[in-house]
């Protein structure tokens, strides 16, 4: 019963993740920022190894997992709501 709902949720999730990835990959990068980061990395021995892209990936992963859990909960609630409405309609049609 829930198979088609999971397929739709999975398809939408993959679509939006692909869209977000495309935006991230195609976003323009400021050349001055790249050069300054590279020169700072060469001159400093004690540099934090976490780059901006890794921080973004970590934050994106956290938000995407939160989105998936909320979407899953809402899909379950919607399924229960639809079941209740169908049962109500069937009981009204039978009377």
């Amino acid at each position: 019963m829930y198979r088609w709902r999971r397929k739709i949720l999975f398809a939408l999730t993959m679509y939006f993740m692909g869209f977000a990835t495309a935006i991230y990959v195609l976003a323009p990068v400021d050349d001055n920022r790249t050069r300054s980061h590279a020169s700072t990395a060469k001159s400093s021995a004690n540099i934090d190894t976490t780059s901006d892209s890794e921080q973004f990936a970590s934050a994106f992963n956290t938000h995407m997992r939160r989105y998936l859990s909320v979407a899953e909960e809402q899909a379950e609630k919607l399924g229960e709501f639809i079941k209740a409405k169908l049962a109500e309609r069937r009981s009204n049609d039978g009377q």
Side-chain angles (χ1 to χ4, degrees):
M1 184 76 170
Y2 291 103
R3 189 173 180 188
W4 64 272
R5 290 183 196 135
R6 287 186 185 263
K7 284 183 180 180
I8 290 174
L9 180 63
F10 180 74
L12 286 173
T13 302
M14 294 306 288
Y15 174 78
F16 286 113
M17 286 175 59
F19 187 73
T21 302
I23 290 174
Y24 176 71
V25 169
L26 297 175
V29 178
D30 185 20
D31 288 336
N32 293 333
R33 184 175 176 198
T34 306
R35 280 191 227 126
S36 66
H37 180 66
S39 63
T40 306
K42 289 177 184 175
S43 64
S44 174
N46 275 337
I47 188 166
D48 186 17
T49 58
T50 307
S51 68
D52 289 339
S53 62
E54 289 172 348
Q55 290 174 352
F56 174 79
S58 175
F60 183 81
N61 188 20
T62 303
H63 291 296
M64 187 55 67
R65 287 184 190 274
R66 188 178 309 147
Y67 162 76
L68 287 175
S69 67
V70 168
E72 218 171 70
E73 290 171 8
Q74 294 301 320
E76 289 176 10
K77 287 180 184 177
L78 181 62
E80 294 301 320
F81 177 76
I82 291 172
K83 282 182 185 178
K85 287 295 180 181
L86 284 174
E88 181 181 312
R89 183 179 291 176
R90 287 179 185 157
S91 68
N92 288 340
D93 289 343
Q95 291 178 353

